[in-house]
Amino acid sequence: MIPFLDLKAQYKSIESEVKEAVAKIFEDCAFVGGKEVATFEKNFADYCHASYCIGVGNGTDALWLTLKAMGIGHGDEVIVPANTFIASSEAITATGARPVFVDHDKETYTINTEEIPSRITEKTKAIMAVHLYGQPADMDPILEIAARHGLKVIEDAAQAHGAEYKGRRVGSIGDAACFSFYPGKNLGAYGDGGAVVTNDKELAGLVRLLSQHGSKVKYIHEIAGYNSRLDGIQAAILNVKMNYIEQWTEARRKNASLYREMLKDTNIILPVEKEDVRHVYHLFVIRIKDREDVQKKLLDRGIQTGIHYPAPIHLTEAYRDLGIPARTFPLSEEYADNLLSLPMYAELTKNQIRKICDALKEIIS
Ligand SMILES: *Cc1c(COP(=O)(O)O)cnc(C)c1O
C-alpha cells in the first residue's frame, strides 16, 4: 500500500522532539500565546524573508483577516483564480466582497495574468494570487497590473512554504501572504494553524488587532475584532518542524525529478516547473486521459492518489448563486476532468516512486 500522504512517517522521524516540545507547553500551560508562538512568528517571518508574521487559527482566517485589514468588504471585488481550493474564495465571500474568477495558465496552473485586466472594474480592490500546488504565480505582471490600478496583492501561499519567484521568497512579494499549517500542508501542524506574513507594519498591526478581539492590552478593545490565534502546542510543534522544512522541501523536489525521469517517455502530461522559480511540490499533479479509470486501477494496485480539484470554484454548489455558466473558464473546467495528484511527500522512497510509475505505465499501455 502506498498512501497519498504519509503523516505518520514524518511524525516517527521527529517523535521524541515533538513529544518533548508538547510536554513543555503542558508544563508551562502556555496554551494560547506565549514564548513558542512568539518564537515561531519570528522564525517564520525570517524564513519568508519578511518583516512580520502573525500566527492565526488557520489559513482561511489568514486570508480573511488580511482582506478585512485591507478594508475589503461589501460592494468590493477581489480577483482570484477559478482553479484553487475553495478557501481562497470563501475568505473573500466571508468579508462580503465578491470573488471575480480568472482562468489559469495552461502550463503552470496558476492564474492567467493576461486575463486579469479584462476582469478589473471600479469595484476591484485586490488580486489574490494563489501559488497553486507549490509553484509561485507569475508575480511580476500581477504586481504591475496591481500598481497600475491601485490594487492590493495577496499571496495565497497555503501550498507554497519556501517557494521562490525570481529569487524572492513567497510571502515577501505581495502586500501580504497567507499560509496554512493544516497537517497535510508542506509545513503542517498537528491541528489547524495559519499565518499572515507581510512587510507592511501597519497592515501587520491591524491583522494582529483583528485576530485578538481588537485589543493590544487585555480588556482594552480598540475595534470590534475576532478571535483567531495560533495556539502554543501548534507553535511548539511548528518550531520543531522549522528545523527540517528545508530538508523536506528538497526531498519533495528530488521526488518530483524522480517522477519526471521515470515518466518522461509516456503520453502523461507532467507538471511544468518554470525556470525562474523554486517549486516546492505540495502536490505533483499530472494530466491523464480516462482519469477515473486510471485512479481506480492504481488503487487496485494499492496506490492512493488525489484530485485537486474535482471542480473549479465557479461550478461548485456553493457558488451557484453567482450564476456563472459552464465553459466560462474553459481551461479550469477541462483540466478538472483529467488532473491526478500522485503521492508526494518527503518520506516517499525511490522504490515507491518506481512502483507508482511502473503501475501507471502498465495501466496506460
Ligand atoms: C489549505 C488551503 C487554504 C486554507 O487553509 P486552512 O488552514 O485549511 O484554512 C487556502 N488556500 C489554499 C490554496 C489552500 O490549499
Side-chain angles (χ1 to χ4, degrees):
M1 185 77 196
I2 304 177
F4 176 63
L5 177 61
D6 192 347
L7 290 179
K8 187 136 183 194
Q10 192 192 71
Y11 171 60
K12 285 291 160 195
S13 75
I14 52 171
E15 183 175 1
S16 59
E17 283 179 87
V18 166
K19 283 185 168 161
E20 205 178 302
V22 171
K24 180 90 175 36
I25 292 291
F26 277 59
E27 279 309 315
D28 296 348
C29 294
F31 300 120
V32 174
K35 212 170 66 207
E36 291 287 343
V37 175
T39 303
F40 175 71
E41 288 175 340
K42 167 87 177 63
N43 281 347
F44 198 67
D46 289 349
Y47 182 70
C48 297
H49 303 172
S51 309
Y52 307 98
C53 168
I54 302 101
V56 298
N58 55 69
T60 313
D61 278 2
L63 290 165
W64 172 69
L65 288 162
T66 299
L67 292 162
K68 280 276 190 191
M70 289 174 170
I72 292 166
H74 270 285
D76 297 333
E77 293 177 355
V78 178
I79 289 175
V80 64
N83 178 31
T84 177
F85 181 51
I86 195 165
S88 310
S89 69
E90 278 177 320
I92 299 166
T93 305
T95 66
R98 186 183 150 96
V100 172
F101 300 110
V102 174
D103 215 339
H104 62 246
D105 176 83
K106 63 182 189 309
E107 281 194 338
T108 61
Y109 309 138
T110 57
I111 195 165
N112 182 338
T113 57
E114 283 170 18
E115 287 180 19
I116 295 175
S118 69
R119 308 290 291 155
I120 294 174
T121 71
E122 72 257 23
K123 295 178 180 169
T124 311
K125 290 285 167 356
I127 301 169
M128 188 184 289
V130 183
H131 304 315
L132 199 70
Y133 310 149
Q135 171 136 269
D138 193 4
M139 295 305 290
D140 277 347
I142 293 171
L143 295 172
E144 191 268 315
I145 295 163
R148 194 151 26 98
H149 294 270
L151 309 176
K152 296 284 188 193
V153 174
I154 299 147
E155 298 175 65
D156 179 342
Q159 304 187 356
H161 317 69
E164 286 171 15
Y165 174 81
K166 300 186 180 173
R168 283 175 283 167
R169 272 277 155 100
V170 307
S172 66
I173 308 171
D175 291 290
C178 300
F179 290 85
S180 165
F181 308 122
Y182 179 77
K185 299 291 159 89
N186 287 27
L187 179 64
Y190 290 170
D192 277 311
V196 178
V197 169
T198 180
N199 286 316
D200 180 336
K201 187 175 182 183
E202 198 182 327
L203 186 73
L206 257 175
V207 169
R208 174 82 71 198
L209 203 59
L210 282 169
S211 72
Q212 47 187 27
H213 305 294
S215 92
K216 290 186 195 116
V217 179
K218 206 166 188 174
Y219 303 128
I220 310 284
H221 306 285
E222 299 173 32
I223 54 173
Y226 311 92
N227 174 14
S228 182
R229 297 176 291 218
L230 184 65
D231 71 65
I233 293 173
Q234 302 311 333
I237 293 164
L238 289 169
N239 280 330
V240 169
K241 290 195 169 195
M242 282 302 285
N243 298 321
Y244 299 93
I245 181 70
E246 277 305 288
Q247 159 189 334
W248 289 334
T249 300
E250 283 310 311
R252 284 176 183 270
R253 288 175 50 75
K254 175 150 174 288
N255 290 342
S257 38
L258 287 172
Y259 270 130
R260 281 185 200 288
E261 182 58 32
M262 294 181 200
L263 294 175
K264 69 173 182 233
D265 296 319
T266 66
N267 59 6
I268 294 168
I269 302 172
L270 300 174
V272 171
E273 177 177 328
K274 298 293 271 188
E275 257 169 40
D276 48 9
V277 309
R278 182 192 195 208
H279 191 321
V280 295
Y281 292 98
H282 172 58
L283 296 169
F284 191 87
V285 180
I286 61 170
R287 293 206 328 274
I288 197 161
K289 268 195 301 217
D290 306 318
R291 191 254 323 268
E292 314 300 330
D293 185 52
V294 172
Q295 186 175 36
K296 191 184 162 297
K297 286 178 174 155
L298 282 171
L299 195 58
D300 290 343
R301 290 164 171 78
I303 298 162
Q304 282 180 348
T305 54
I307 298 173
H308 301 88
Y309 295 89
I313 298 186
H314 64 288
L315 298 185
T316 61
E317 182 67 25
Y319 281 97
R320 204 163 64 169
D321 61 345
L322 290 180
I324 301 170
R327 279 182 289 283
T328 305
F329 304 111
L331 273 189
S332 307
E333 296 173 33
E334 180 198 322
Y335 285 22
D337 290 336
N338 48 43
L339 294 165
L340 186 68
S341 308
L342 303 181
M344 172 52 85
Y345 34 96
E347 298 75 17
L348 199 62
T349 65
K350 187 170 182 181
N351 217 359
Q352 286 175 312
I353 295 173
R354 192 183 312 282
K355 277 194 192 139
I356 295 162
C357 295
D358 287 349
L360 260 174
K361 287 190 232 178
E362 190 189 299
I363 291 164
I364 62 171
S365 68

